[in-house]
Amino acid sequence: MSEQTLSTPNSITLRQFDYFVSTVRLGSMSAAARKFGVTPSAMSQQIGALEVALGRKLFDPQSRRSSLTKFGREFFAQASTVVDHAYQALAIGQSFSDGVLTIGTTSTIAHKLMPPLIYRLRLQCDIDNIEVRSFGTMYDLGAALDRGTVDMAIGPLTRSSAKFVHTIGEEELVVACHRSQESRFDGTWQRLAEVPWIGYTNSSDIAKTLVQESGRANVEIRYVVTAPDVPTALSLVEHGIGIALVPKMALHNCSRLLSVTRPAPRIKRKLSVHVKDMSPYIEKFLGVISDMELVRKFRAAGLLEVR
C-alpha cells in the first residue's frame, strides 16, 4: 500500500479547514467571518482556494455557499474531525496546568455570579488558583469544554459532551431600559417594539431568543446598534440609545439609571454546570455551588431563580 501525505500542488491550510467547517456549523459565511474577525470576501477566497486544491466543489454554485454538494457533505464529516482534533491538540498547552481550576462561562455569570463563588472557594476550600474565561456564545463555550480548554462550563448550555451535568437554577431574561422610559412599557411585545433596540451578533444565544419571542408575538424589532456582550448593551441602555434583552442578574448592583421590564410571558432558561472529568477541585466547587444557604442568598439578591 502506498503511503499518502498531506502535500498537494496547492497547499491546504488548517485555516481553510476551519473556515469551511465553521461556515457549515454556523449556517452562513457571514456568521463564520464574524467569528474569525475577517471579511466574508476573505473567507470566500480561502474556501475557494480549498476547493481548487481539492479539485471539487464543496458548495452548490447556485446556493451562494449555503448548500453543500454531495462531496461537500462527505468532506465536512472528515474535515470537522480534523479541526476538532487540531483544537484539542492546541489546547493541551493551555489547559495542562497542575492545580489550576479553569471555569468557562458567560460574561454575565463571570461578572455577577463568579465573584461570590470564588470568595467561598478560597474561604472554605483553600483554592486560590482559579481561572475564569468568558465566552460570547454557548457554541463557543461548549466547544471549549469539548476541547478540554476549560475544566467546567457554567451557563444555559442545552447540550455538551459532559459526563456530569448539575443544574444550579434558572436565569431570567428581562428587558433593560433607561429609567426615564419605564412608564412606557406594560410588558407586551407590541409596546416594546415601539422603541429602538440594542441587538447582539447573530451567533448570540440571547439574539436567537429575542428573535424567537418577538416572532411569537408577531412584532418586528427595530435595531439601532449591535453590542458584543451584555455589559456593553447595558452601557448603551444607560446612555438612552435603546432597550436590550439581558439576564436579570446582569442588573444586580448596576446603575440607578437602568430599569427593568418583564416581557410577557416571562423568559427563563436553565443554568447548569457541565463537567467532562471529575477532580478534587471540581468536587469542592460543586459542593460550594450546591450549598442551600448560598443558593438562598443568590435568589434574594436576584442573581438566580431556584427551580
Side-chain angles (χ1 to χ4, degrees):
M1 181 181 295
S2 62
E3 183 178 335
Q4 293 182 321
T5 70
L6 286 177
S7 61
T8 63
N10 298 295
S11 60
I12 295 177
T13 67
L14 183 59
R15 173 174 294 182
Q16 292 169 344
F17 271 60
D18 207 358
Y19 282 1
F20 167 67
V21 170
S22 293
T23 296
V24 177
R25 284 176 170 173
L26 294 177
S28 72
M29 189 170 295
S30 58
R34 285 192 294 270
K35 172 184 175 182
F36 291 100
V38 300
T39 63
S41 61
M43 178 163 287
S44 180
Q45 290 175 0
Q46 288 295 318
I47 293 178
L50 177 61
E51 290 178 322
V52 170
L54 292 170
R56 290 178 178 270
K57 290 292 184 182
L58 296 169
F59 292 95
D60 184 343
Q62 304 300 320
S63 70
R64 295 185 178 180
R65 299 200 185 283
S66 62
S67 178
L68 291 172
T69 62
K70 181 178 179 181
F71 172 77
R73 291 191 295 270
E74 293 292 333
F75 183 76
F76 170 74
Q78 300 297 325
S80 58
T81 300
V82 171
V83 170
D84 291 342
H85 285 176
Y87 272 117
Q88 290 173 10
L90 293 172
I92 292 176
Q94 299 176 356
S95 61
F96 189 80
S97 182
D98 293 335
V100 177
L101 178 61
T102 307
I103 302 170
T105 188
T106 66
S107 61
T108 301
I109 294 175
H111 280 90
K112 301 297 181 178
L113 208 60
M114 290 311 304
L117 283 173
I118 292 174
Y119 176 81
R120 287 289 188 104
L121 284 169
R122 296 184 70 247
L123 183 67
Q124 298 178 3
C125 306
D126 195 29
I127 299 178
D128 286 327
N129 209 347
I130 301 171
E131 180 180 353
V132 180
R133 299 181 185 178
S134 176
F135 294 84
T137 69
M138 291 304 98
Y139 174 82
D140 291 337
L141 177 57
L145 181 69
D146 294 343
R147 296 194 301 264
T149 307
V150 298
D151 298 317
M152 70 171 68
I154 306 174
L157 279 168
T158 55
R159 63 181 65 181
S160 73
S161 61
K163 296 178 183 177
F164 181 87
V165 178
H166 173 74
T167 300
I168 60 175
E170 289 182 327
E171 174 183 63
E172 183 179 5
L173 297 180
V174 298
V175 177
C177 64
H178 194 275
R179 187 162 294 279
S180 63
Q181 295 180 305
E182 60 183 338
S183 61
R184 298 185 58 176
F185 308 118
D186 57 7
T188 64
W189 282 99
Q190 286 70 26
R191 294 299 298 274
L192 291 169
E194 293 175 357
V195 297
W197 277 76
I198 295 160
Y200 301 93
T201 58
N202 292 335
S203 57
S204 164
D205 303 278
I206 297 181
K208 295 174 184 176
T209 300
L210 180 55
V211 170
Q212 178 181 339
E213 295 298 322
S214 60
R216 285 177 179 174
N218 197 29
V219 300
E220 185 175 349
I221 298 298
R222 177 167 59 94
Y223 299 101
V224 294
V225 66
T226 299
D229 51 35
V230 170
T232 304
L234 286 176
S235 180
L236 292 166
V237 173
E238 185 180 349
H239 283 79
I241 296 172
I243 63 177
L245 189 67
V246 301
K248 179 185 173 184
M249 73 169 72
L251 293 158
H252 179 64
N253 288 335
C254 67
S255 170
R256 294 184 179 181
L257 293 175
L258 297 175
S259 185
V260 173
T261 294
R262 283 188 170 90
R266 295 172 70 175
I267 307 172
K268 293 185 177 182
R269 53 187 188 176
K270 183 172 64 175
L271 293 182
S272 304
V273 179
H274 292 240
V275 179
K276 289 187 69 173
D277 299 295
M278 279 293 180
S279 71
Y281 281 175
I282 292 177
E283 290 178 355
K284 290 179 180 179
F285 177 90
L286 292 174
V288 168
I289 204 171
S290 302
D291 180 77
M292 289 309 300
E293 177 189 355
L294 184 61
V295 171
R296 283 193 293 267
K297 288 183 177 179
F298 283 159
R299 182 178 184 181
L303 292 171
L304 200 64
E305 297 286 330
V306 181
R307 302 185 74 197

